[in-house]
Amino acid sequence: MSSIVVQFLNGLAGASTLFLIAVGLSLIFGVTRIVNFAHGSLYMLGIYIAYSAVGAFGAAGALGFWGAILAAALAVGLFGALVEVLILRRIYQAPELFQLLATFALVLMVKDFVLWAWGPEDLLGPRAPGLDGAVAILGQRFPEYDLFMIAVGPVVLGLLWLLLNRTRWGTLVRAATQDREMVGALGVNQKWLFTGVFALGAFLAGLGGALQVPREPAQLFLDLTAIADAFVIVVVGGMGSIPGAFLAALIIGEVKAFCIGLGNVTLLGVEVSFSKLTLVIEFIVMAIVLVVRPWGLLGRPQAAQRAAPTHIEPPLRAALRGLAAGAAVLALALAALPLTGAAYTVVLMTDILIFALFAASLHFIMGPAGMVSFGHAAYFGLGAYGAGLVLLRAGAPMEVALAAGPLAAALGAAVFGWFCVRLAGVYFAMLTLAFAQIGWSVVFQWDSFTGGSNGLVGVWPAAWLSSKSAFYLFVLVLCGAGLAALRRILFSPFGYALRAGRDSPLRCDAIGIDIKRLQWAAFTLVGAFAGTAGALYAFSKGSLSPDLMAIPRSVDALVMVLLGGVQTLAGPAVGAAAFTWLQDTIARNTEYWQSLLGATILIIVLAFPQGIVGSLARLGTRAEAE
């Protein structure tokens, strides 16, 4: 009984931390509609700044410690306000996905700043003065600071309720959450309202991080961990619902605590490791909630929103001949690349071709189908592991293994997509992320079959493709064929039906088009193309690891599509080339390559708010009109 009570209290303490991380993200999204991917970075900044501030003010005892915690949260809040004024305010008129891209650039920049300022080592702060002991609960010791954390969550929830329901500013925030345009029409200064909301959200994230100083070390990977937790809490609770975020934090905090407490349990003669489930249990909970109640526990059903059309039209006959000639010249130039003798360039171009196909497969469902996936790396990874496992475990030849990759990915996409296509918007994106993380956890922990965290090695191509040049030409043919096939499908009746379902779902339903079936078929189709890219990537590197299915790989695909532009067919390929080349070039020339890459992406977002190809095409159209 005592152990159950202690685990329950541990869950409450963890829930307070989860709530502080998520509630700021919920506020920011509710008012500004920005999916702030940098919210986890604000949490990470909070714990690092608090570590330094506590060290500086530590001589003042309890007053200095709590003053340092508050100062760290205020500093993060001020940083959030500056980000909103200097960067985000300039791109509110850009598509929402490009705003996400800008916040991803901030993630890279903040991570390198933290690395420069505090170094790569984990940093553990001191215990909180006056709360550094433990109390006896049913014969077991429980930390006093964790009892304090249990109280923090409800206190913050109460203060936010008072702020939003008993002040004029809070009334404006709630009004903006419901109808931003009407608030602006009534003469409210939206700019400063958005700044205040973003600063408050950043302050809460910084406070959540700062309060962890006595509980956990400051680490460089906290940003991605925190943003994943925040997304899960906000979606499970219901977008924009602060009480929902609190309820979701309680549920997930308790589930994670009891998974840790149960450890290994034998059920029906089978040993089940609940402790391993802690890596993915929150995503399992999110998947179950979204399948049963798509708008979250305390959220409200949202009216179907019409996706922004991408206006991808087939070129005229004369232009088509010009495009064919240009494609032939490009193909010949790429085929002649091995003749230059630059081995490294051949390897880099192999990666670019593979990622171009990967990005194009994501673009197919983002543009024509209007479905934004946050977990597209799942099918890239399934293709790689499908090929690698057939090659190494079944002893099949490389050609058979390569064919198994896209089949495995298509099967996974068919299973996951059956659930995902029943949702829309952010909820669809988050369910794809949940399934991707579930797949990643299986691969990461199945040591006897997938190699676990060590992955698989020895995934080499056949003898006739053993040279880098031969394999490059093979990749050029397959990826070129894949890109051409996606383009052909896009301008087929299937592709037009997908766009019709995206733009006018009610009309499609009225004339008998089964939109969900079309979307499911598209989801499965792009899974096969992503799996082809993954299988080729595995053979190009000779090994594979669970990182191929992790969140950063999915983010890379999103960045590639958005950098190039969602509105054009060439966008994903150009974005993949630009991102891969920038990442490789910058990483080889500086230690802090992530900050330079982030700054470059941010400049591109500000200069080309429609993506590189999309913005250039718009400039060309405008020049012709003039």
Side-chain angles (χ1 to χ4, degrees), residues 19 152-167 200 203-204 207 242:
F19 174 68
V152 167
V155 169
V156 171
L157 176 63
L159 292 176
L160 284 175
W161 185 89
L162 292 174
L163 177 65
L164 296 176
N165 292 277
R166 293 292 184 266
T167 66
L200 177 59
F203 170 83
L204 291 170
L207 179 63
I242 293 177

Short mmCIF file of all heavy atoms in Angstrom, two decimals, residues 19 152-167 200 203-204 207 242:
data_model
loop_
_atom_site.label_atom_id
_atom_site.label_comp_id
_atom_site.label_asym_id
_atom_site.label_seq_id
_atom_site.Cartn_x
_atom_site.Cartn_y
_atom_site.Cartn_z
N PHE A 19 2.46 20.00 -16.67
CA PHE A 19 1.48 21.07 -16.84
C PHE A 19 2.17 22.40 -17.11
O PHE A 19 1.75 23.16 -17.99
CB PHE A 19 0.60 21.17 -15.58
CG PHE A 19 -0.34 22.34 -15.61
CD1 PHE A 19 -1.40 22.37 -16.52
CD2 PHE A 19 -0.18 23.40 -14.74
CE1 PHE A 19 -2.27 23.45 -16.54
CE2 PHE A 19 -1.05 24.48 -14.76
CZ PHE A 19 -2.10 24.51 -15.66
N VAL A 152 2.56 23.14 -6.74
CA VAL A 152 2.81 24.19 -7.74
C VAL A 152 1.78 24.14 -8.86
O VAL A 152 1.25 25.18 -9.28
CB VAL A 152 4.23 24.06 -8.31
CG1 VAL A 152 4.40 24.93 -9.55
CG2 VAL A 152 5.25 24.46 -7.26
N GLY A 153 1.49 22.95 -9.37
CA GLY A 153 0.57 22.84 -10.50
C GLY A 153 -0.79 23.44 -10.21
O GLY A 153 -1.27 24.31 -10.97
N PRO A 154 -1.50 23.02 -9.14
CA PRO A 154 -2.81 23.62 -8.85
C PRO A 154 -2.73 25.12 -8.58
O PRO A 154 -3.65 25.87 -8.96
CB PRO A 154 -3.25 22.86 -7.59
CG PRO A 154 -2.54 21.57 -7.65
CD PRO A 154 -1.22 21.87 -8.27
N VAL A 155 -1.65 25.60 -7.95
CA VAL A 155 -1.51 27.04 -7.69
C VAL A 155 -1.41 27.81 -9.00
O VAL A 155 -2.08 28.84 -9.19
CB VAL A 155 -0.28 27.31 -6.80
CG1 VAL A 155 0.03 28.80 -6.76
CG2 VAL A 155 -0.52 26.80 -5.39
N VAL A 156 -0.58 27.33 -9.92
CA VAL A 156 -0.45 28.00 -11.22
C VAL A 156 -1.77 27.94 -11.98
O VAL A 156 -2.18 28.93 -12.62
CB VAL A 156 0.68 27.35 -12.04
CG1 VAL A 156 0.68 27.88 -13.48
CG2 VAL A 156 2.03 27.61 -11.38
N LEU A 157 -2.46 26.82 -11.92
CA LEU A 157 -3.77 26.69 -12.58
C LEU A 157 -4.74 27.72 -12.02
O LEU A 157 -5.46 28.40 -12.77
CB LEU A 157 -4.32 25.29 -12.39
CG LEU A 157 -5.74 25.03 -12.93
CD1 LEU A 157 -5.76 25.20 -14.46
CD2 LEU A 157 -6.22 23.63 -12.55
N GLY A 158 -4.77 27.88 -10.70
CA GLY A 158 -5.66 28.85 -10.08
C GLY A 158 -5.31 30.29 -10.46
O GLY A 158 -6.20 31.10 -10.75
N LEU A 159 -4.02 30.61 -10.46
CA LEU A 159 -3.61 31.96 -10.83
C LEU A 159 -3.94 32.26 -12.29
O LEU A 159 -4.36 33.39 -12.61
CB LEU A 159 -2.10 32.13 -10.59
CG LEU A 159 -1.65 32.11 -9.13
CD1 LEU A 159 -0.13 32.17 -9.03
CD2 LEU A 159 -2.28 33.28 -8.36
N LEU A 160 -3.76 31.29 -13.16
CA LEU A 160 -4.12 31.51 -14.56
C LEU A 160 -5.63 31.70 -14.72
O LEU A 160 -6.07 32.52 -15.54
CB LEU A 160 -3.66 30.31 -15.41
CG LEU A 160 -2.17 30.24 -15.73
CD1 LEU A 160 -1.85 28.94 -16.47
CD2 LEU A 160 -1.75 31.43 -16.59
N TRP A 161 -6.42 30.96 -13.96
CA TRP A 161 -7.87 31.12 -14.03
C TRP A 161 -8.26 32.53 -13.62
O TRP A 161 -9.10 33.17 -14.27
CB TRP A 161 -8.56 30.10 -13.13
CG TRP A 161 -10.06 30.14 -13.25
CD1 TRP A 161 -10.83 29.43 -14.12
CD2 TRP A 161 -10.96 30.94 -12.47
NE1 TRP A 161 -12.16 29.74 -13.96
CE2 TRP A 161 -12.27 30.66 -12.95
CE3 TRP A 161 -10.79 31.85 -11.43
CZ2 TRP A 161 -13.39 31.29 -12.41
CZ3 TRP A 161 -11.90 32.48 -10.90
CH2 TRP A 161 -13.20 32.19 -11.37
N LEU A 162 -7.65 33.03 -12.54
CA LEU A 162 -7.93 34.39 -12.11
C LEU A 162 -7.51 35.41 -13.16
O LEU A 162 -8.23 36.37 -13.44
CB LEU A 162 -7.22 34.68 -10.78
CG LEU A 162 -7.73 33.93 -9.55
CD1 LEU A 162 -6.84 34.22 -8.35
CD2 LEU A 162 -9.17 34.34 -9.24
N LEU A 163 -6.33 35.20 -13.76
CA LEU A 163 -5.83 36.13 -14.76
C LEU A 163 -6.73 36.18 -15.98
O LEU A 163 -7.02 37.26 -16.52
CB LEU A 163 -4.41 35.72 -15.17
CG LEU A 163 -3.75 36.56 -16.28
CD1 LEU A 163 -3.51 37.99 -15.80
CD2 LEU A 163 -2.44 35.91 -16.73
N LEU A 164 -7.19 35.01 -16.43
CA LEU A 164 -7.97 34.95 -17.66
C LEU A 164 -9.45 35.26 -17.46
O LEU A 164 -10.14 35.59 -18.42
CB LEU A 164 -7.83 33.57 -18.30
CG LEU A 164 -6.42 33.19 -18.77
CD1 LEU A 164 -6.39 31.76 -19.29
CD2 LEU A 164 -5.94 34.15 -19.85
N ASN A 165 -9.94 35.14 -16.24
CA ASN A 165 -11.37 35.32 -15.99
C ASN A 165 -11.71 36.53 -15.14
O ASN A 165 -12.89 36.90 -15.06
CB ASN A 165 -11.95 34.07 -15.30
CG ASN A 165 -11.97 32.86 -16.21
OD1 ASN A 165 -12.88 32.68 -17.01
ND2 ASN A 165 -10.94 32.04 -16.11
N ARG A 166 -10.72 37.17 -14.54
CA ARG A 166 -11.00 38.30 -13.65
C ARG A 166 -10.25 39.57 -14.04
O ARG A 166 -10.24 40.53 -13.26
CB ARG A 166 -10.66 37.93 -12.19
CG ARG A 166 -11.56 36.85 -11.59
CD ARG A 166 -12.98 37.38 -11.42
NE ARG A 166 -13.85 36.42 -10.76
CZ ARG A 166 -14.62 35.56 -11.40
NH1 ARG A 166 -14.62 35.53 -12.72
NH2 ARG A 166 -15.40 34.73 -10.74
N THR A 167 -9.62 39.58 -15.20
CA THR A 167 -8.92 40.77 -15.66
C THR A 167 -9.35 41.09 -17.08
O THR A 167 -9.79 40.22 -17.83
CB THR A 167 -7.38 40.59 -15.63
OG1 THR A 167 -7.01 39.59 -16.60
CG2 THR A 167 -6.90 40.15 -14.25
N LEU A 200 4.06 35.43 -21.69
CA LEU A 200 3.53 34.64 -20.58
C LEU A 200 3.77 33.17 -20.80
O LEU A 200 4.17 32.44 -19.87
CB LEU A 200 2.02 34.91 -20.45
CG LEU A 200 1.29 34.09 -19.37
CD1 LEU A 200 1.89 34.35 -17.99
CD2 LEU A 200 -0.20 34.40 -19.38
N PHE A 203 7.37 32.54 -20.14
CA PHE A 203 7.63 32.60 -18.70
C PHE A 203 7.24 31.30 -18.01
O PHE A 203 8.00 30.78 -17.17
CB PHE A 203 6.84 33.78 -18.10
CG PHE A 203 6.83 33.80 -16.59
CD1 PHE A 203 7.88 34.35 -15.89
CD2 PHE A 203 5.76 33.26 -15.88
CE1 PHE A 203 7.88 34.36 -14.50
CE2 PHE A 203 5.74 33.26 -14.50
CZ PHE A 203 6.81 33.82 -13.80
N LEU A 204 6.08 30.74 -18.36
CA LEU A 204 5.64 29.49 -17.74
C LEU A 204 6.56 28.34 -18.10
O LEU A 204 6.88 27.49 -17.26
CB LEU A 204 4.21 29.19 -18.16
CG LEU A 204 3.14 30.13 -17.61
CD1 LEU A 204 1.80 29.89 -18.29
CD2 LEU A 204 3.01 29.97 -16.10
N LEU A 207 9.68 28.88 -16.12
CA LEU A 207 9.45 28.53 -14.71
C LEU A 207 9.45 27.02 -14.52
O LEU A 207 10.03 26.50 -13.55
CB LEU A 207 8.11 29.12 -14.26
CG LEU A 207 7.69 28.83 -12.82
CD1 LEU A 207 8.68 29.45 -11.84
CD2 LEU A 207 6.28 29.34 -12.55
N ILE A 242 -7.00 25.01 -20.93
CA ILE A 242 -6.05 24.96 -19.81
C ILE A 242 -6.46 23.90 -18.79
O ILE A 242 -5.62 23.12 -18.33
CB ILE A 242 -5.92 26.36 -19.17
CG1 ILE A 242 -5.23 27.30 -20.18
CG2 ILE A 242 -5.13 26.29 -17.88
CD1 ILE A 242 -5.11 28.71 -19.71
#
